[in-house]
Amino acid sequence: MKKIVILISGRGSNMEAIIRSLKAEDWPAEIAAVISNTEKAAGLATAENAGIATEVVSRGEFSSRQSYDTMLSEAIDRYAPDLVVLAGFMRILTAEFVRHYEGRIINIHPSLLPAFTGLHTHERAIEAGVRLHGATVHFVTPELDAGPIIAQAVVPVLPDDTEASLAARVLEQEHRLYPRVVRWFVEGKVRFDAGRVRLDDAINTPAEFILTGDFS
Ligand code: GRF
């Protein structure tokens, strides 16, 4: 049984998608805890309702980024997780923190990386006039949004898209993509090997790691 700790800062819809898939498909894993950097995260209630332990490690209590990250990793490590899942966790993590979890920390980013790192990705995709947009799940490395890519989901950008309509189309795919990648990790089908992603042959086909949206 693999142990997972999920970090959130907000609504937690990706977290919820992972909880649902894990329950429905019965993977050899348990979500040991959901940790937030703010008590305002709506996802905390969702996790509690699912019977999962929750914790808030609030940034206000600690002076430096380093001391915050030390407290955070102590909270995480009490659950001895095999995998740390960042699901809308809105903090930039220190290199020391990231290295501590090397190969067992993943993130979902709402763009087709390496395009549109950082914030406001949907607005920027529309402004840039790209025809395809999407989401990326990657291993976390010290450089923001730059870790090795595990899988991506692609959606079209339509002529009348607004930031909200595009965000909703991407989010729908995030909810398919992230649980799938977490499951691969739990089953040992994806791993981090000297800075690169190794995928099991069984999932190493384009149809598996590029999930396409509805292009109709
Ligand atoms: C998602 O768009 C995710 O890609 C990004 O933050 C958002 C989190 O949404 N990292 P939610 O809290 O999972 O609903």
Side-chain angles (χ1 to χ4, degrees):
M1 205 67 164
K2 292 275 194 316
K3 284 192 197 165
I4 300 169
V5 168
I6 304 181
L7 304 190
I8 63 168
S9 297
R11 76 192 148 183
S13 69
N14 277 289
M15 170 206 76
E16 191 176 4
I18 293 165
I19 293 171
R20 280 222 189 112
S21 298
L22 195 152
K23 278 193 181 151
E25 299 167 11
D26 202 21
W27 322 332
E30 64 163 329
I31 297 168
V34 169
I35 299 177
S36 172
N37 61 319
T38 164
E39 63 199 13
K40 293 190 187 126
L44 286 170
T46 313
E48 275 160 28
N49 291 337
I52 296 166
T54 62
E55 277 190 44
V56 175
V57 181
S58 153
R59 68 186 119 185
E61 297 161 33
F62 309 103
S63 49
S64 70
R65 182 172 282 182
Q66 203 119 31
S67 58
Y68 177 82
D69 280 8
T70 302
M71 290 296 296
L72 182 62
S73 64
E74 280 170 11
I76 294 169
D77 290 349
R78 280 196 279 276
Y79 298 96
D82 299 284
L83 177 65
V84 177
V85 174
L86 304 183
F89 189 64
M90 300 300 288
R91 276 193 64 88
I92 295 179
L93 298 160
T94 57
E96 200 183 351
F97 178 96
V98 171
R99 274 193 216 102
H100 177 66
Y101 297 103
E102 189 181 71
R104 55 189 179 109
I105 182 166
I106 60 176
N107 180 46
I108 189 160
H109 181 78
S111 79
L112 295 174
L113 289 172
F116 310 121
T117 58
L119 297 174
H120 311 299
T121 55
H122 308 305
E123 190 186 339
R124 287 158 59 210
I126 291 171
E127 266 167 26
V130 294
R131 300 292 184 227
L132 297 172
H133 186 46
T136 302
V137 178
H138 62 95
F139 281 108
V140 177
T141 55
E143 198 187 333
L144 186 70
D145 300 329
I149 292 170
I150 303 170
Q152 295 184 306
V154 181
V155 302
V157 181
L158 302 177
D160 55 355
D161 262 332
T162 60
E163 186 184 356
S165 65
L166 184 56
R169 190 175 308 120
V170 171
L171 191 65
E172 196 184 329
Q173 298 306 316
E174 291 185 39
H175 296 166
R176 295 174 63 213
L177 179 69
Y178 215 3
R180 188 183 295 215
V181 173
V182 173
R183 182 175 182 168
W184 288 344
F185 186 94
V186 161
E187 294 178 342
K189 291 178 178 165
V190 57
R191 62 198 164 79
F192 183 88
D193 178 13
R196 300 183 67 105
V197 173
R198 299 281 172 214
L199 291 176
D200 194 303
D201 281 350
I203 56 169
N204 205 359
T205 68
E208 280 293 340
F209 64 84
I210 303 173
L211 303 174
T212 51
D214 181 8
F215 279 69
S216 61

